[in-house]
Amino acid sequence: MAKPLDERIAAAMGDGARAATVAGLIDEVSASVATSQAEHDRLDAISKSATASEAEADKAADDASKLARKVVRLAAKRDQLQERYEDLLNSDRRRRAVEEHAAVNERRTKLVADLRIDGQRVIDELLTLLDRIKASDAECDALNKTRAYGLDWLDSAEAEARGCSATFRQQCGSQIPRLVNMKVPTFDASQTTELAWPVRDRTLARLQNMEQEARRQAHIKRQEEIARWKRYVVTPPTNNTAMFTIAHQGGDAGVYRDVQILILSPELAEAAREKGCQVRLAADNETIGLPTAVGVI
């Protein structure tokens, strides 16, 4: 025999209740609310009916008032049961989430251990197979080019093992990816960013690096050489009586008594000083009687 509704509601609000049980009670209470509300509406209509006797109207009004209070109580219980259901549901969801997290983490931890034990070995075995395929392809290609003594054509071992055409194409013409064309990372990613496969040509890489370094050094030297040449104001000796030449970036300049701006290296500036000239660095945009573009040699 089922327990009274109030007892079952009290149990649902206590410890050990299940969300499914509370959900059933919510449906049951909701149905009772609907039934009571319908009966209340019927009695309320009788209490206001012009054809009902005073005794019938009074009794209907009293019964409707009681049902109204019952509907309010049931609705309050339903709302409390709904809150209880949400709490239980959230509790169940968290429990399931915790259990799922623990299970996933356990499988992940096991995989970490397996990878540490087998990862490098599996990659090494794969690299060995790829090396053998590549070497075999090279041997077969060399023999197929000669077809000595009418011997049979040798397809790639990879194609035959994988059951595909020797050209690695499907009947529709689509290309079939080759094992030897895959990219395989090194297992210990903390030591290098290079691939374990395809194996990089170390000699070619060194030559490329040397060439890049040589270009870089040449560029640095060019920039250093450019920086050595600067604009100088060259003033010949005041007592000069004959023209002489001063070497500058563009060649040789004839000098008599006129002040000139020349582009010189430190060595050429010193050579001009040895000929008795006063030599100093020209200020930015400094000219000697002419615009900079004309006055600089």
Side-chain angles (χ1 to χ4, degrees):
M1 182 177 178
K3 293 182 179 181
L5 180 61
D6 286 344
E7 289 186 21
R8 287 183 286 131
I9 290 176
M13 302 299 290
D15 295 336
R18 296 175 62 249
T21 301
V22 177
L25 278 173
I26 292 172
D27 292 341
E28 186 176 343
V29 172
S30 296
S32 182
V33 168
T35 301
S36 299
Q37 184 64 51
E39 180 63 13
H40 168 274
D41 294 344
R42 186 185 71 81
L43 292 172
D44 184 61
I46 293 173
S47 70
K48 299 173 183 177
S49 174
T51 60
S53 65
E54 287 299 319
E56 291 175 336
D58 288 343
K59 184 177 187 309
D62 291 340
D63 292 343
S65 179
K66 292 179 181 178
L67 279 174
R69 292 194 296 272
K70 180 179 180 181
V71 168
V72 171
R73 290 197 304 275
L74 286 173
K77 291 178 181 180
R78 180 187 59 192
D79 293 342
Q80 293 175 45
L81 285 170
Q82 186 64 44
E83 292 179 3
R84 176 61 170 160
Y85 174 74
E86 294 295 334
D87 290 341
L88 290 173
L89 198 61
N90 290 335
S91 178
D92 288 344
R93 285 173 177 168
R94 174 171 174 73
R95 177 182 53 78
R96 287 195 296 270
V98 170
E99 291 175 353
E100 182 180 6
H101 182 276
V104 170
N105 187 48
E106 181 179 0
R107 292 192 294 271
R108 185 195 70 90
T109 303
K110 177 63 167 59
L111 178 58
V112 170
D114 291 343
L115 283 171
R116 286 173 175 166
I117 295 172
D118 299 326
Q120 186 62 60
R121 176 185 58 79
V122 170
I123 288 180
D124 289 343
E125 291 178 356
L126 176 60
L127 295 181
T128 299
L129 279 176
L130 294 176
D131 273 329
R132 289 178 61 192
I133 293 172
K134 189 173 181 180
S136 175
D137 284 351
E139 290 178 339
C140 292
D141 287 345
L143 286 178
N144 290 336
K145 287 178 181 178
T146 61
R147 297 293 296 276
Y149 306 103
L151 296 175
D152 291 340
W153 180 276
L154 297 177
D155 290 337
S156 170
E158 179 187 346
E160 188 169 339
R162 295 176 65 188
C164 61
S165 68
T167 59
F168 291 92
R169 288 191 177 277
Q170 297 176 339
Q171 291 183 352
C172 63
S174 300
Q175 186 72 42
I176 298 173
R178 291 207 56 181
L179 295 176
V180 291
N181 291 337
M182 72 169 65
K183 288 179 171 56
V184 182
T186 57
F187 184 75
D188 187 355
S190 65
Q191 299 300 317
T192 180
T193 57
E194 293 185 1
L195 294 171
W197 184 273
V199 179
R200 189 179 179 187
D201 188 335
R202 307 295 179 181
T203 301
L204 177 59
R206 282 197 298 270
L207 290 175
Q208 290 174 339
N209 290 338
M210 289 173 61
E211 183 180 355
Q212 291 176 357
E213 180 62 20
R215 287 198 297 266
R216 189 180 73 85
Q217 291 296 336
H219 176 74
I220 292 174
K221 288 181 178 179
R222 284 195 301 272
Q223 295 303 312
E224 290 175 346
E225 181 62 22
I226 291 172
R228 293 179 69 248
W229 295 87
K230 294 181 173 61
R231 298 169 66 248
Y232 288 85
V233 177
V234 179
T235 305
T238 56
N239 59 353
N240 183 46
T241 58
M243 182 172 287
F244 60 95
T245 61
I246 293 179
H248 63 103
Q249 190 180 49
D252 290 334
V255 176
Y256 182 53
R257 292 184 179 179
D258 295 333
V259 179
Q260 299 186 42
I261 292 181
L262 304 175
I263 299 178
L264 307 174
S265 65
E267 295 82 5
L268 294 182
E270 186 60 32
R273 291 188 183 96
E274 290 176 356
K275 292 185 178 183
C277 297
Q278 294 181 4
V279 181
R280 67 174 175 81
L281 285 171
D284 292 343
N285 298 323
E286 182 177 355
T287 60
I288 304 297
L290 293 171
T292 302
V294 177
V296 176
I297 300 179

